[in-house]
Amino acid sequence: MPHRWIGDAVIDRLRRIIADAGAEAGPEELADILWLASIMTAGTGTGTETGTGTETGTETGTGTDRPDRNREPGPTPPPTTPSPLPPPPTRPTRPTPGTSGSLFTAKQPHAARSAEPRPPQQRSGRRGTPVRVSRAASLDDPLAVLRALRPLGRRRLPDHRMELDEEATAEAGIAHHTLMPVMRPARDPWLDLTLVVDTHRSMLLWHDLISELRTLLTQTGLFRTVRVWFLRASPGEGVTVSPTLGGPSRSPSELVTGRRHSLILLVSDTVSEMWHRPALRATVGRWCAHSAVALLNVLPERLWERGGVRPVRCLVRATGPAAPNVSWSLGISPYEQPVPRAAVPMVDASPAALSALASLVSGSGRPHRLPCLPLDADWSASESPSEPLGPAADSAPDDIAAERAALRAVRWFEESASPGARELAGFLAAVPLTLPVMNLVRRAMLPQSDHGHLAEVALGGLLQPWETYDRADPTYLEFRFLPGVRDALLGGRLRREITAVRELVREEVAAYLDEHRGPGDFPAIRHSSTGAGTQEIDPEALAFARTSPLAPDGVQDSGLGEAVHRAFEDPEVTIAAVVADVSTLVAALRPQFERVREGLARPVPVRVRLLLMGGGGADDPRRRLMEILRPHSEVTFDVRTAADQPPTELYVLNNRTVLTSYVHLPGEPPEPLLVQPEDRLEETLGWFDSWWALYGER
């Protein structure tokens, strides 16, 4: 249906109809009504322009009318009645997955701590743009964890302090028509929490879970204080603690808080050889004489046998709130075994286990049957903990020996691992092995799995040894399979089958990122088909996601970046934009100016006209634009605001490329941009110029 300007008589009649209905409508609201009416008319697919008697041709299979190019253009509309936004095509053109790029892991920005020289790497020619990608959550149900720890929350303290009861004050004011404060005994946090984190290298696998747990316990105000210490053990220094990773060693006695109620929570997977040494048992025994002490085993209970300790079931009852372990009453089954003088309860991170521990430490008086480590008996298991295995010696040639060692490692892993871990190992063989990526793959490919499945893979003899927790950066450290193990896990498939597995994982991870927002983010590199970017990508690097849902500003990339990159290939760039939030435009412009700053692209004059619909969000758009445009003298921009308008998103680049989503709520991820057909270009440009002139006169 060709676009026509609506006469004043029709608009006046529409205004009277709305007024008779008891409503009001200004010029902008009338334009929106006419736009919706045109969409509803076009959706009937009749091919006939209703009310005019003029028949127009229709485009087969689209349901949209082809404009009559022989007709003379209509008169320029007055600025008070701009044309409504043209309707989108029934079958819009979306960017294909192949043009949206791939995500690669980012390299650590500073030199590695290791002094070993790195071999020279071949330059790949692939470049990408730094982005931030959402992490996958490690805690399955944070609210359930908080509910489990509720017995350790606020309570009345014997200091006779009072506080305002807001609800009672409001109810009394309504009942008595006067405002009188109602006081109640104050309820405050009463317990200090000290997290003592094991620094064995296997604990790198639990970094995200520990970080989320620490953040959860700190921000909710459940405890009076939350301190984090890191536990180390060495033959020379014995057992020491440090307030920071890799920091100076301190005495474990500093963890004792005197007369204050405190809970010391050891966090470990018990894989370290430290759990075999009497020195650790002696240190924990000294803590148990002054505080409540428990062990949080990050491994699920089904995997405890792979650790270095063997707990026994005890019937435990605390004598008071946060009473020291040495004062607890203990019972053991079978009864013929000697009862230990004291014990340390061991729980996993499940809400049920944490609830039992919280009830015990709160001093409820109820006995609980929990796995415990006796202080006066050996904790260690009969077998050594599950450490990653190294390749066995083989007298065959190097390539044959490596293949045999890989097959032995995979066979041993498959015989001892759970079905979920075996399936996860196959998916991990298709991606780079950094901790954030492995967590993403686990969540995307096996939603019902837990973090223990990832620990089975990492501790199952498939990976090369990695650095200790206090020396490595968990965000950037890349784990590596033993030689030949990656190919062995892929099962000797044909090349096309291996490619299919990799594509499947990348698509599923991309879909997961589209649907979930994790507790944080991590750096990555986005590579697009244009080859633009400031970071070089290793030639042997594997992608972990097919599409990049995040752009450099942390906003969703809806295809604008590709269009802006193509526009900068011209000798001059003009951008006419209608947006509700400038974040998408800023994210698309920044990589181009970075390329100019680094000398990878020539500077070109840029003119930006920005019309903010719906107010433009909370941030000042001019400030955000100036941050990236100020260093470039060849850039000019003008911003006009239509605060009373519904949020709409439209971009016209170099007067030839039009992308629009029509609706974009401030603060919400934008919808994928649609590419307008060329036969609507003049119509859209006329629409933009009309609105631009209208708000320039206000």
Side-chain angles (χ1 to χ4, degrees):
M1 180 178 66
H3 182 73
R4 299 182 298 110
W5 297 111
I6 307 299
D8 291 341
V10 176
I11 295 178
D12 291 339
R13 181 182 176 188
L14 178 60
R15 186 181 290 110
R16 287 195 300 271
I17 294 174
I18 295 175
D20 293 341
E24 296 181 359
E28 294 82 9
E29 287 80 3
L30 292 174
D32 294 333
I33 294 172
L34 294 172
W35 168 52
L36 290 173
S38 66
I39 292 179
M40 295 171 65
T41 304
T44 60
T46 60
T48 304
E49 187 172 337
T50 305
T52 63
T54 305
E55 184 173 339
T56 61
T58 59
E59 185 176 6
T60 304
T62 62
T64 56
D65 299 314
R66 189 184 301 278
D68 188 354
R69 299 184 182 273
N70 296 325
R71 295 182 56 181
E72 293 295 327
T76 302
T80 56
T81 58
S83 164
L85 188 66
T90 304
R91 297 193 179 197
T93 305
R94 294 180 182 270
T96 61
T99 62
S100 57
S102 302
L103 285 176
F104 293 82
T105 55
K107 295 182 179 179
Q108 194 166 359
H110 303 292
R113 299 183 184 181
S114 175
E116 296 180 3
R118 300 184 61 182
Q121 296 182 351
Q122 180 183 358
R123 300 179 65 89
S124 64
R126 293 189 298 179
R127 303 184 68 85
T129 304
V131 295
R132 306 291 299 186
V133 178
S134 178
R135 289 180 181 267
S138 295
L139 278 176
D140 292 327
D141 194 349
L143 292 180
V145 172
L146 287 180
R147 288 192 295 268
L149 298 176
R150 188 178 299 167
L152 303 179
R154 295 172 180 263
R155 60 176 59 182
R156 297 178 184 177
L157 301 180
D159 56 1
H160 306 291
R161 191 169 57 86
M162 306 295 288
E163 66 180 5
L164 178 67
D165 190 332
E166 297 179 359
E167 293 185 3
T169 299
E171 293 175 357
I174 296 174
H176 302 289
H177 303 285
T178 182
L179 185 60
M180 292 293 293
V182 178
M183 308 301 290
R184 67 182 180 187
R187 300 176 64 89
D188 291 315
W190 62 279
L191 186 63
D192 295 325
L193 176 65
T194 302
L195 295 176
V196 184
V197 182
D198 187 0
T199 55
H200 185 256
R201 57 196 179 104
S202 62
M203 291 298 294
L204 268 170
L205 303 171
W206 307 96
H207 170 77
D208 288 355
L209 184 142
I210 296 172
S211 298
E212 292 176 31
L213 185 62
R214 175 186 180 181
T215 301
L216 181 69
L217 299 178
T218 302
Q219 296 181 351
T220 55
L222 192 66
F223 297 95
R224 183 164 48 191
T225 61
V226 177
R227 300 184 301 166
V228 179
W229 291 76
F230 297 92
L231 183 68
R232 292 197 297 257
S234 63
E237 296 183 349
V239 178
T240 59
V241 295
S242 174
T244 58
L245 270 174
S249 299
R250 307 271 282 272
S251 171
S253 61
E254 296 189 28
L255 273 60
V256 178
T257 58
R259 295 182 177 274
R260 293 164 62 99
H261 293 99
S262 65
L263 169 63
I264 297 177
L265 193 61
L266 277 162
V267 183
S268 175
D269 57 7
T270 71
V271 171
S272 170
E273 294 181 356
M274 170 179 61
W275 293 92
H276 289 260
R277 298 173 182 170
L280 178 61
R281 190 168 67 251
T283 299
V284 174
R286 288 192 291 270
W287 290 339
C288 291
H290 301 88
S291 304
V293 182
L295 170 61
L296 175 61
N297 194 331
V298 290
L299 286 173
E301 188 171 357
R302 60 183 174 83
L303 297 178
W304 282 0
E305 62 181 14
R306 301 198 178 193
V309 297
R310 289 293 182 268
V312 294
R313 289 277 175 178
C314 294
L315 193 64
V316 189
R317 184 177 63 85
T319 56
N325 294 42
V326 294
S327 66
W328 294 356
S329 61
L330 297 175
I332 194 169
S333 179
Y335 297 105
E336 58 269 14
Q337 293 186 5
V339 177
R341 63 178 180 86
V344 177
M346 185 168 75
V347 297
D348 60 15
S350 64
L354 291 175
S355 177
L357 176 64
S359 177
L360 172 67
V361 175
S362 67
S364 63
R366 296 192 302 271
H368 296 271
R369 189 173 298 278
L370 293 173
C372 295
L373 300 178
L375 291 179
D376 51 3
D378 188 11
W379 293 350
S380 61
S382 57
E383 299 177 359
S384 60
S386 298
E387 285 279 1
L389 301 177
D394 197 322
S395 59
D398 292 344
D399 54 346
I400 299 178
E403 183 178 357
R404 290 177 179 175
L407 291 176
R408 282 196 301 268
V410 172
R411 187 180 304 111
W412 184 88
F413 166 75
E414 291 180 344
E415 290 175 353
S416 59
S418 63
R422 293 197 296 268
E423 189 174 4
L424 178 60
F427 292 132
L428 292 178
V431 296
L433 297 182
T434 64
L435 183 59
V437 171
M438 291 192 293
N439 280 332
L440 275 176
V441 171
R442 180 180 69 81
R443 286 289 191 183
M445 305 305 298
L446 300 173
Q448 303 303 321
S449 65
D450 56 42
H451 210 77
H453 292 98
L454 181 58
E456 287 187 72
V457 176
L459 302 177
L462 302 179
L463 303 183
Q464 300 178 13
W466 59 88
E467 291 185 285
T468 57
Y469 192 9
D470 56 350
R471 295 186 56 193
D473 189 329
T475 299
Y476 294 97
L477 176 67
E478 183 169 355
F479 301 85
R480 299 187 182 279
F481 284 115
L482 293 171
V485 166
R486 187 185 295 271
D487 295 335
L489 286 173
L490 292 173
R493 294 181 173 91
L494 298 176
R495 183 179 298 275
R496 63 176 180 272
E497 295 175 340
I498 296 176
T499 302
V501 173
R502 290 174 176 171
E503 290 296 327
L504 172 64
V505 174
R506 294 167 189 173
E507 293 293 342
E508 290 297 326
V509 171
Y512 179 87
L513 289 170
D514 284 338
E515 298 173 2
H516 298 81
R517 179 65 182 171
D521 53 26
F522 66 95
I525 303 296
R526 180 180 184 272
H527 171 70
S528 64
S529 58
T530 62
T534 60
Q535 301 276 337
E536 186 170 358
I537 300 173
D538 190 274
E540 299 181 357
L542 294 175
F544 64 87
R546 172 53 56 196
T547 56
S548 175
L550 299 179
D553 273 17
V555 299
Q556 202 165 10
D557 184 357
S558 301
L560 181 61
E562 303 281 349
V564 169
H565 178 77
R566 290 192 297 268
F568 269 73
E569 296 175 354
D570 293 349
E572 183 177 2
V573 177
T574 61
I575 302 175
V578 181
V579 298
D581 190 343
V582 298
S583 298
T584 304
L585 181 60
V586 170
L589 287 173
R590 177 171 285 129
Q592 303 305 322
F593 290 120
E594 289 179 353
R595 296 180 71 241
V596 173
R597 187 181 300 112
E598 295 181 1
L600 301 176
R602 56 182 175 82
V604 296
V606 180
R607 182 193 177 196
V608 180
R609 290 189 297 166
L610 192 62
L611 181 59
L612 294 174
M613 306 288 274
D619 295 338
D620 182 8
R622 293 173 177 83
R623 178 185 60 80
R624 297 196 63 185
L625 286 171
M626 285 299 295
E627 289 178 356
I628 62 171
L629 301 182
R630 182 174 296 171
H632 307 276
S633 58
E634 296 293 325
V635 177
T636 59
F637 70 94
D638 189 8
V639 180
R640 299 180 183 179
T641 304
D644 55 345
Q645 293 302 310
T648 305
E649 193 169 20
L650 171 76
Y651 301 93
V652 182
L653 306 173
N654 290 356
N655 293 328
R656 68 169 184 265
T657 303
V658 179
L659 299 96
T660 183
S661 68
Y662 290 100
V663 178
H664 178 192
L665 301 177
E668 297 291 334
E671 295 294 328
L673 293 175
L674 310 178
V675 181
Q676 287 281 61
E678 294 182 0
D679 54 13
R680 291 188 180 273
L681 177 60
E682 295 181 2
E683 188 177 23
T684 305
L685 289 174
W687 175 88
F688 179 86
D689 291 337
S690 298
W691 281 95
W692 187 259
L694 170 64
Y695 286 97
E697 297 176 359
R698 294 192 172 186

